[in-house]
Amino acid sequence: MFLSEAEILAAVKRIAEEIAADYKDEVPIFVGVLNGAFMFVSDFLKYYPYPCEVSFVKLSSYRGLTSTGIVETLLDVPENIEGRDVIILEDIIDTGRTLQELVHIFSNTNVRNFKIASLFYKSEVYNGEYTIDYFGMEIPDKFIIGYGLDYKEQGRNLRDVYQINQTHMINLVLFGKPGAGKGTQAGYLKEKYNLKHISTGDVFRFNIKNNTKLGQLAKSYMDKGDLVPDEVTISMLKDEVEKNPDASGFIFDGFPRTAAQAEALDNFLESKDMKIHATIALEAKDEVLIERLLERGKNSGRPDDQDESKIRNRFEEYNLKTAPLKEYYEAQEKFHSVNGIGSIEDITDRLAKVINTLS
Ligand code: AMP
């Protein structure tokens, strides 16, 4: 996809005219969302013909928690906005996660009127939670740069907008029973191949620690060694992927664990022109794993690592729900098995051998 400067400016002008028609008798405050929206805000204001004010907000990152309202701002909402008409100017709305954070930070202010305007709008992926009052262009769910939008902070200065090709990615699933060493190996592989490591177990534990809604929901299942319901896990996983639009690949650790999760992952990745390149299983015997987990439980404080019956329950969940995924990935010719017993380095080498064969 390519959008020329002229097309973009036409869209900016259209939004400015639409908002002008609605607000000509007021003095609205336009609030740009940094960094991406700076160029849009600048051109927008040039097209806006009536009295107005401008300000900016900046969220700390898109990596904060969302379901809870743990939101950090680097540049906070403008002062003296009580009783005013506020219009958010966003460069792009995709899943709506940033928007959710924005609405949250403005929910404590007594503004008279709060509207949302976005230059680009990915209607296919937007969760629809809030009304988008004004938008410039609907675009497909592709990663774009230029006109303020970046790839690893670069490309914001381009006048036109370009689509980034993501075919160079490597996406891996690390497969294996609890204690097989998935987390440890992912730690090495992510450095070696510059990948983003997503451990669903870690995300759940982070949420439990922060006592978020998601954490409260997951805790009772995790403490017993049961799987968290698919619906919850799948939407969390998608959220984690969406948070890293510029990743050069992912290591999925502890996901998928059920057939429904595997199918959901394939469909989700396909919608983003992505795919799983390989599923690599780390194999080890139950006795070895139990020993490793009980040892880890002494330091980790994880309740599910401290009790043999809970560990056995996790194995049962695995045998029943996760092991059948072997066939699912074999049918796609993506399943690889690696001996998970040995030194950490030896096992990393075995994994690297598989990964290096991937195109
Ligand atoms: P882990 O850290 O991967 O051993 O995961 C610890 C616990 O988190 C599991 O026993 C489950 O309760 C929960 N969990 C992690 N990943 C998933 C998943 N993909 N599906 C369901 N539950 C999960």
Side-chain angles (χ1 to χ4, degrees):
M1 182 184 35
F2 167 80
L3 300 169
S4 69
E5 185 179 23
E7 285 173 279
I8 297 165
L9 289 178
V12 175
K13 183 160 181 265
R14 243 185 349 261
I15 303 184
E17 286 169 354
E18 248 182 86
I19 297 180
D22 292 347
Y23 283 86
K24 58 181 182 299
D25 301 324
E26 317 292 337
V27 181
I29 306 183
F30 295 113
V31 179
V33 184
L34 293 174
N35 291 331
F38 72 94
M39 214 177 265
F40 168 43
V41 174
S42 164
D43 285 331
F44 173 90
L45 290 174
K46 292 177 211 162
Y47 288 121
Y48 192 82
Y50 302 119
C52 64
E53 293 175 26
V54 63
S55 187
F56 291 90
V57 283
K58 181 168 178 163
L59 304 182
S60 63
S61 75
Y62 299 158
R63 287 157 186 79
L65 294 172
T66 52
S67 48
T68 57
I70 299 178
V71 178
E72 277 186 78
T73 51
L74 289 181
L75 188 59
D76 216 339
V77 289
E79 283 174 21
N80 308 326
I81 57 168
E82 214 177 300
R84 301 291 303 273
D85 297 297
V86 170
I87 300 161
I88 293 288
L89 295 182
E90 258 284 31
D91 45 335
I92 185 162
I93 287 177
D94 44 42
T95 59
R97 194 179 45 255
T98 315
L99 194 57
Q100 189 184 29
E101 300 192 3
L102 278 168
V103 171
H104 177 82
I105 59 176
F106 277 91
S107 64
N108 304 325
T109 61
N110 280 322
V111 298
R112 185 168 82 133
N113 195 311
F114 179 83
K115 291 265 166 84
I116 296 155
S118 180
L119 175 55
F120 301 117
Y121 170 44
K122 292 185 177 175
S123 55
E124 283 166 33
V125 288
Y126 180 53
N127 66 16
E129 204 170 339
Y130 308 102
T131 308
I132 312 298
D133 302 285
Y134 308 93
F135 65 87
M137 285 186 209
E138 261 187 78
I139 60 164
D141 183 24
K142 301 284 150 74
F143 191 78
I144 55 170
I145 61 160
Y147 198 75
L149 292 106
D150 72 307
Y151 174 69
K152 299 191 173 169
E153 288 306 324
Q154 295 190 17
R156 296 191 195 275
N157 54 330
L158 300 169
R159 287 165 172 261
D160 307 303
V161 161
Y162 302 84
Q163 186 194 327
I164 291 216
N165 193 342
Q166 291 179 314
T167 49
H168 61 282
M169 288 183 113
I170 313 180
N171 299 308
L172 304 172
V173 172
L174 275 189
F175 203 69
K177 284 187 181 169
K182 301 187 294 291
T184 306
Q185 290 300 329
Y188 289 98
L189 296 177
K190 75 171 185 192
E191 299 298 331
K192 193 172 164 75
Y193 295 98
N194 187 26
L195 304 174
K196 169 76 192 161
H197 173 205
I198 298 181
S199 154
T200 41
D202 284 351
V203 179
F204 282 133
R205 280 184 288 276
F206 181 76
N207 278 273
I208 290 174
K209 204 169 111 201
N210 287 286
N211 197 25
T212 68
K213 262 191 255 162
L214 180 64
Q216 288 163 6
L217 198 91
K219 189 171 184 339
S220 59
Y221 297 97
M222 287 178 71
D223 282 351
K224 282 186 277 179
D226 291 342
L227 291 187
V228 177
D230 280 341
E231 204 185 271
V232 177
T233 312
I234 290 168
S235 88
M236 178 191 87
L237 188 279
K238 288 183 180 174
D239 220 41
E240 291 298 312
V241 173
E242 304 276 9
K243 282 180 197 173
N244 295 281
D246 52 2
S248 53
F250 292 90
I251 303 175
F252 297 105
D253 157 10
F255 189 97
R257 264 174 152 107
T258 65
Q261 291 180 12
E263 279 164 34
L265 181 63
D266 273 351
N267 293 336
F268 172 63
L269 293 180
E270 197 186 327
S271 77
K272 304 182 108 27
D273 274 350
M274 290 162 59
K275 63 172 184 177
I276 292 297
H277 294 79
T279 296
I280 314 179
L282 284 166
E283 311 275 6
K285 286 207 188 86
D286 283 6
E287 295 71 58
V288 178
L289 297 176
I290 291 174
E291 211 173 292
R292 280 189 195 170
L293 288 169
L294 288 171
E295 191 57 36
R296 181 170 79 182
K298 287 183 193 161
N299 302 316
S300 71
R302 281 180 57 170
D304 59 346
D305 279 350
Q306 292 173 14
D307 175 336
E308 191 168 329
S309 69
K310 286 179 189 171
I311 293 175
R312 292 212 179 264
N313 184 39
R314 285 157 72 198
F315 288 177
E316 245 166 68
E317 287 277 76
Y318 180 91
N319 291 334
L320 204 66
K321 298 173 183 164
T322 311
L325 295 185
K326 181 176 183 213
E327 275 115 72
Y328 180 87
Y329 286 109
E330 269 173 352
Q332 299 186 14
E333 296 181 13
K334 290 180 184 167
F335 192 83
H336 305 262
S337 188
V338 156
N339 177 3
I341 305 283
S343 72
I344 290 177
E345 299 80 48
D346 285 349
I347 299 170
T348 311
D349 286 347
R350 289 172 204 157
L351 289 164
K353 260 198 201 119
V354 175
I355 297 169
N356 293 339
T357 65
L358 304 171
S359 51

